Amino acid sequence: MAVEAVTNIARHSDGTTAALTLELAGPAILRVTVADSGRCAEPWTPGVGIQSMYGRVEEIGGTLTIRTTPQGATITADLPLAIPADTGRSPHRPPHPEPTLTTTDDATEEITSGP
């Protein structure tokens, strides 16, 4: 997820800085945050990279939030440190539902997924 997020920054952002943060967000949650200082040249649409991140995070029971503002973008994944046994990579798993894109009046866009 983090590699895909940094790849998206390199491809789509005009930012000059990026940061990757790992932190414990609870006793059993690892929070991975990737942020940049740039704006996307076009409005966000969930493409292959976002769908890939979303699918990987959801597959292990996590949540993914992508937030863009005129000041930059932040991608946050909350990942369980203990992965339930029934979340193996099965080719027969149902397709992931589409992430939800929300845009507010202040030009903030947010894409969310997960339970």
Side-chain angles (χ1 to χ4, degrees):
M1 180 239 101
V3 171
E4 184 64 43
V6 172
T7 299
N8 281 351
I9 290 169
R11 287 184 182 158
H12 305 294
S13 171
D14 65 359
T16 58
T17 62
L20 170 68
T21 306
L22 304 173
E23 65 180 304
L24 288 175
I29 301 291
L30 174 67
R31 179 167 290 154
V32 179
T33 304
V34 179
D36 74 5
S37 64
R39 292 184 296 164
C40 184
E42 306 157 0
W44 277 52
T45 56
V48 173
I50 291 173
Q51 290 289 347
S52 173
M53 287 187 285
Y54 171 68
R56 290 176 182 158
V57 168
E58 183 187 59
E59 190 169 338
I60 61 170
T63 60
L64 181 73
T65 302
I66 302 173
R67 183 176 177 85
T68 65
T69 69
Q71 293 76 38
T74 303
I75 300 172
T76 304
D78 285 340
L79 309 171
L81 292 175
I83 301 170
D86 67 344
T87 60
R89 292 179 181 258
S90 168
H92 305 292
R93 293 181 65 84
H96 302 290
E98 291 292 318
T100 304
L101 173 64
T102 306
T103 304
T104 62
D105 292 338
D106 65 352
T108 297
E109 293 181 325
E110 185 167 294
I111 299 173
T112 54
S113 72

